[in-house]
Amino acid sequence: MGLPALEFSDCCLDSPHFRETLKSHEAELDKTNKFIKELIKDGKSLISALRNLSLAKRKFADSLNEFKFQCIGDAETDDEMCIARSLQEFATVLRNLEDERIRMIENASEVLITPLEKFRKEQIGAAKEAKKKYDKETEKYCGILEKHLNLSSKKKESQLQEADSQVDLVRQHFYEVSLEYVFKVQEVQERKMFEFVEPLLAFLQGLFTFYHHGYELAKDFSDFKTELTISIQNTRNRFEGTRSEVESLMKKMKENPLEHKTISPYTMEGYLYVQEKRHFGTSWVKHYCTYQRDSKQITMVPFDQKSGGKGGEDESVTLKSCTRRKTDSIEKRFCFDVEAVDRPGVITMQALSEEDRRLWMEAMDGREPVYNSNKDSQSEGTAQLDSIGFSIIRKCIHAVETRGINEQGLYRIVGVNSRVQKLLSVLMDPKTASETETDICAEWEIKTITSALKTYLRMLPGPLMMYQFQRSFIKAAKLENQESRVSEIHSLVHRLPEKNRQMLQLLMNHLANVANNHKQNLMTVANLGVVFGPTLLRPQEETVAAIMDIKFQNIVIEILIENHEKIFNTVPDTPLTNAQLHLSRKKSSDSKPPSCSERPLTLFHAMQSAEKQEQRNSIINSSLESVVSSNANSILNSSSSLQPNMNSSDPDLDVLKPTRPNSLTPFRKAKALYACKAEHDSELSFTAGTVFDNEWRTASLIFFREITLHFCASIQQTLLDHLYVPGAPMTGTYKT
């Protein structure tokens, strides 16, 4: 139920009903005044809290921005860089959000607090002042009226008339004040409907603007959030694999520490106690000692493991001799004496155990018997990159691609070890392996076949991508630019021995087929990288640092799979030197003639003009010889009309009697490419040098002209199919 209206006509009557109505309006004004007062107080508290919240969030953002991740290793993967960058991205988002919050807070004081205080002071305050004036006039009017009514009627008429006039004047003033008060009360009651609510609406609009800004920031952050989520998942998956590898290495180290020692530049290193003479006698000081046999340098670093600090300056001496101390000649056990060239006297040292002393003396060529404690960590495998090896891999790949390309977890799910070993023994049997057309029986499960393939690759004497290139591949994966990574890995692959590269190409083509079916088998390129990285690119020594580089091994495999056509079917942009080609090729045990990929197609040198003319002649001779020798018989048999043109008396055909040049011309190199068609039925892309381009162009035009003069349209089409891809540039793609 709302408040009753105050009628101006009631001001004159000033009835009890009017007074009650006026009181209800006054009570409502008091209630509104108290509410606005509390609201202003709460609003100021809210603004203060928001300001403190903003300061806290800014401090939190600053902390995020200052923290830098330090990953294990000398480089980071793209996923790790994304995660490391995430803290700065979070800080940026929070700062942008807090900038908008500060604007909202500053605006809130203007749009909420100031208008409410103004309304309370100017409107409600004015109504209160009007009430005071009204109450004062009421009291004055009532007092004069009572005094007037108490006048004696015996007063003179003039006095009575004067008193009546005075009362009428006071009554009129009271009436005017009453009207003004009622007007003000009703005005305030009406004004509060908009002047009180409008600031609240403006404040909420500021809040909505702030939240909308947060929504826009969230939309802008969405792409990075998706990328970060994927990076976190990939890093977690790598962690799981790395953790198991590190744990396995830790267990091996526990079982036999000497078997897994890190390859060190020192012949021997470790802790020794060195006897030092003091004023009060002798003392034994713990040193970390290193020894290099080549330079005979012994370095002693006093170090206390308890305090974690050095106990003095390093000392280096040159070894002269090393002699074991007899047990009865000294109270300490495991002692030996060292004589130095550049230090007088004898240095007595105490090893940590009898075995430790033996190793130190063996390293220093002491008088102890020499025991060979080092064991070759690389087991001699029976697997080889020979015809049997290629046959095994091809059979496994054929079985997988024909029977199990869509099996979920392909290559990730392992087979039973006993079954895998049995299958390998069957495949590696020379009798079975010689049957190249025999497929793997359907009785063998796909997981057994895939495990056999991986096991065979691990059984090779060295990893398929070779120990000497392992660090180079890892460095290539650590390059910042993806294009640079692909280019460097492309170059490294072509430095591998021919057999290794052929096997790698065979495997990458297969893994690309597996990845193309990832929707069914769930094996993406990244998953295949995790599976095959440690197999194809394992390090020579098993260390924690090497395990930390597994993620980069995986990246190398991913690049090989995604770019297998470019990497294996084209030569690198940067030509290899003859020394590099010779060094990489001689490591292959296969003695067959080099394939087209081994021939130095782009290694040409500039020639003089006379040499160019001689080369043009040899180009024509060689090209006609190669084409005519392969096609003449079939063409002559099918086209009898051509026989008169083939008469040896025709002077135009003297070019068919070439003299073979001794040097290998560029066109003969191209001819060698054509000969590769039987070996590689695919297109070979290469970029030749300037001289090669010019000679190719000249030879092609002259050759085409001569053929056009003497052969029919069918031989023209044959030559075009074998010689040149129409529309391709001179440095483009030619058919093999």
Side-chain angles (χ1 to χ4, degrees), residues 38-211:
E38 289 294 325
L39 190 64
I40 292 173
K41 181 181 176 181
D42 293 341
K44 289 181 177 179
S45 299
L46 174 61
I47 291 174
S48 177
L50 288 174
R51 213 178 286 276
N52 292 334
L53 174 63
S54 181
L55 291 174
K57 284 195 172 182
R58 282 186 179 277
K59 187 176 180 182
F60 179 70
D62 292 340
S63 299
L64 288 177
N65 190 56
E66 291 172 1
F67 184 78
K68 306 293 182 185
F69 279 105
Q70 293 294 332
C71 297
I72 300 176
D74 57 353
E76 299 175 346
T77 64
D78 292 340
D79 293 328
E80 289 173 340
M81 286 189 283
C82 179
I83 292 174
R85 194 174 78 251
S86 65
L87 298 187
Q88 284 69 43
E89 293 288 340
F90 295 158
T92 302
V93 171
L94 289 175
R95 284 172 176 169
N96 289 338
L97 197 61
E98 293 317 305
D99 289 342
E100 185 65 26
R101 191 194 301 275
I102 289 297
R103 285 191 286 270
M104 180 197 70
I105 291 172
E106 293 173 350
N107 193 44
S109 297
E110 298 177 3
V111 302
L112 178 65
I113 305 300
T114 302
L116 288 178
E117 287 181 338
K118 182 179 179 181
F119 175 75
R120 191 177 72 84
K121 290 178 180 179
E122 293 182 359
Q123 300 300 325
I124 299 179
K128 285 185 175 183
E129 291 296 325
K131 182 181 184 308
K132 290 179 182 179
K133 186 176 180 182
Y134 175 71
D135 291 340
K136 185 178 180 180
E137 289 299 323
T138 299
E139 185 178 353
K140 181 180 178 181
Y141 170 68
C142 291
I144 290 176
L145 184 61
E146 288 177 2
K147 190 184 290 187
H148 179 69
L149 294 175
N150 289 330
L151 285 176
S152 174
S153 58
K154 296 179 179 181
K155 292 275 187 183
K156 292 180 179 181
E157 186 64 26
S158 60
Q159 291 178 339
L160 292 176
Q161 287 180 354
E162 184 181 354
D164 290 341
S165 299
Q166 187 179 4
V167 169
D168 289 339
L169 186 63
V170 172
R171 182 186 294 113
Q172 181 63 32
H173 185 67
F174 169 71
Y175 179 64
E176 291 176 358
V177 171
S178 178
L179 286 174
E180 290 176 358
Y181 178 51
V182 169
F183 173 76
K184 191 62 181 177
V185 168
Q186 295 205 87
E187 180 188 14
V188 173
Q189 293 288 13
E190 293 297 323
R191 275 181 175 274
K192 76 176 183 181
M193 301 298 290
F194 57 90
E195 288 196 2
F196 170 51
V197 175
E198 191 175 29
L200 295 175
L201 177 61
F203 175 70
L204 286 178
Q205 182 61 36
L207 279 178
F208 295 151
T209 303
F210 168 71
Y211 290 130

Side-chain angles (χ1 to χ4, degrees), residues 105 122 405 440 596 685:
I105 291 172
E122 293 182 359
I405 194 72
I440 298 176
C596 62
S685 177

Side-chain angles (χ1 to χ4, degrees), residues 5-16:
L6 289 170
E7 296 294 341
F8 290 123
S9 58
D10 292 339
C11 293
C12 183
L13 295 175
D14 198 13
S15 64

Side-chain angles (χ1 to χ4, degrees), residues 367-378:
R367 297 183 182 178
E368 286 285 321
V370 178
Y371 300 100
N372 185 15
S373 62
N374 294 322
K375 186 177 179 181
D376 189 5
S377 59
Q378 179 181 321

